[in-house]
Amino acid sequence: MSRYAKILYILAVGILAVAPACSSSRSAKKQQQSTAAAPAAKSASKAEWQDLRMPVRVAISEPMSFSMSGNATMLRDSIINISMRVIGMEVAVIQLNTDSLYIVDKFHKYYFAEPLSAVLGSHIMPVADIQDIILGTQMGEAADITFTNPGSPEPVRVKYSDFVTTIAGNIASDINITAPVTGKSVDASLQWNVSKAKFNTGATVRFKTPEPDSYRRISMANVLQMLKNN
């Protein structure tokens, strides 16, 4: 399996691993605020966008060193698409929709495809919530999150920093995730170029499911074993 596919899988798993903690944190915060009758205007503003395009840099320092720039396109509550490019050529794609997660290494002809329910398990949630999590729009004052990982004594840590105000709410320019995966320490980050974010331009996403005759499919078990042996 190619290094690109391993790296993209680490990043995707890291992002989705954050979802349960952020969801729980958000639920707890809502319960605390319910007695205070907090105004709903701020949360309502987060639903004003229908589509978003924004440059992003993917960086990993552990268990391997890697960085690559690309572009993210999001359709509200339906699609997250991150296209990674080298010299203008698309070499890899992460695509998450309402029911599946795809990771495609177009250069080496590998792909990962699993139902979203298999990736998130009992923490399945709407795509809109995942979008808010990876953008940091639900964090408010809680810019640092630490939570336990049932598969490891080491906790998962997430840090949101450099917030920028947009029509989607306050987006974190830098999201860093440190987590144990298959006995390895993973340190990954998403660095959003919020100054170049474009909202509500009628953006669309073109994504073609890889054909088995042209691509080799990698299962979750395959990737985790390869990460363990890396």
Side-chain angles (χ1 to χ4, degrees), residues 82-187:
I82 300 179
S83 171
M84 310 308 298
R85 295 179 175 271
V86 174
I87 317 177
M89 181 178 68
E90 185 176 70
V91 295
V93 182
I94 297 175
Q95 163 108 345
L96 183 148
N97 58 35
T98 55
D99 54 32
S100 301
L101 171 65
Y102 293 90
I103 303 170
V104 184
D105 177 348
K106 300 180 74 171
F107 190 77
H108 299 91
K109 302 296 182 180
Y110 286 102
Y111 80 100
F112 170 89
E114 291 287 345
L116 197 56
S117 58
V119 178
L120 286 177
S122 61
H123 300 290
I124 191 74
M125 64 182 68
V127 175
D129 285 357
I130 298 174
Q131 289 170 334
D132 289 337
I133 288 165
I134 67 171
L135 293 172
T137 55
Q138 291 287 354
M139 293 305 101
E141 297 300 323
D144 296 88
I145 299 172
T146 299
F147 58 100
T148 57
N149 182 349
S152 171
E154 296 296 321
V156 176
R157 294 183 172 88
V158 187
K159 182 177 181 179
Y160 295 83
S161 59
D162 301 327
F163 286 89
V164 178
T165 301
T166 74
I167 66 169
N170 291 332
I171 293 178
S173 296
D174 194 294
I175 301 170
N176 179 255
I177 303 162
T178 56
V181 177
T182 66
K184 300 291 180 68
S185 175
V186 173
D187 191 322

Side-chain angles (χ1 to χ4, degrees), residues 10-229:
I10 289 172
L11 181 67
V13 169
I15 292 169
L16 294 177
V18 178
C22 293
S23 179
S24 300
S25 174
R26 186 166 65 251
S27 297
K29 187 180 292 185
K30 284 182 178 178
Q31 291 175 356
Q32 292 172 357
Q33 291 178 342
S34 61
T35 57
K42 187 173 182 179
S43 61
S45 70
K46 293 170 184 168
E48 290 179 358
W49 64 279
Q50 297 303 314
D51 58 78
L52 164 63
R53 286 188 185 275
M54 182 162 52
V56 62
R57 180 174 178 267
V58 175
I60 295 177
S61 57
E62 295 286 347
M64 57 191 81
S65 180
F66 171 86
S67 66
M68 183 179 288
S69 297
N71 291 290
T73 301
M74 301 188 199
L75 307 185
R76 186 62 173 167
D77 202 24
S78 63
I79 290 176
I80 300 170
N81 182 282
I82 300 179
S83 171
M84 310 308 298
R85 295 179 175 271
V86 174
I87 317 177
M89 181 178 68
E90 185 176 70
V91 295
V93 182
I94 297 175
Q95 163 108 345
L96 183 148
N97 58 35
T98 55
D99 54 32
S100 301
L101 171 65
Y102 293 90
I103 303 170
V104 184
D105 177 348
K106 300 180 74 171
F107 190 77
H108 299 91
K109 302 296 182 180
Y110 286 102
Y111 80 100
F112 170 89
E114 291 287 345
L116 197 56
S117 58
V119 178
L120 286 177
S122 61
H123 300 290
I124 191 74
M125 64 182 68
V127 175
D129 285 357
I130 298 174
Q131 289 170 334
D132 289 337
I133 288 165
I134 67 171
L135 293 172
T137 55
Q138 291 287 354
M139 293 305 101
E141 297 300 323
D144 296 88
I145 299 172
T146 299
F147 58 100
T148 57
N149 182 349
S152 171
E154 296 296 321
V156 176
R157 294 183 172 88
V158 187
K159 182 177 181 179
Y160 295 83
S161 59
D162 301 327
F163 286 89
V164 178
T165 301
T166 74
I167 66 169
N170 291 332
I171 293 178
S173 296
D174 194 294
I175 301 170
N176 179 255
I177 303 162
T178 56
V181 177
T182 66
K184 300 291 180 68
S185 175
V186 173
D187 191 322
S189 66
L190 284 173
Q191 297 163 4
W192 299 107
N193 190 339
V194 187
S195 66
K196 293 187 176 180
K198 296 181 179 179
F199 293 91
N200 304 330
T201 63
T204 58
V205 173
R206 294 181 181 179
F207 179 79
K208 184 178 181 181
T209 304
E211 298 179 2
D213 291 343
S214 302
Y215 283 77
R216 178 185 171 188
R217 183 171 182 175
I218 302 297
S219 70
M220 187 179 294
N222 293 150
V223 178
L224 292 177
Q225 185 61 46
M226 290 173 186
L227 289 173
K228 186 181 295 184
N229 295 335

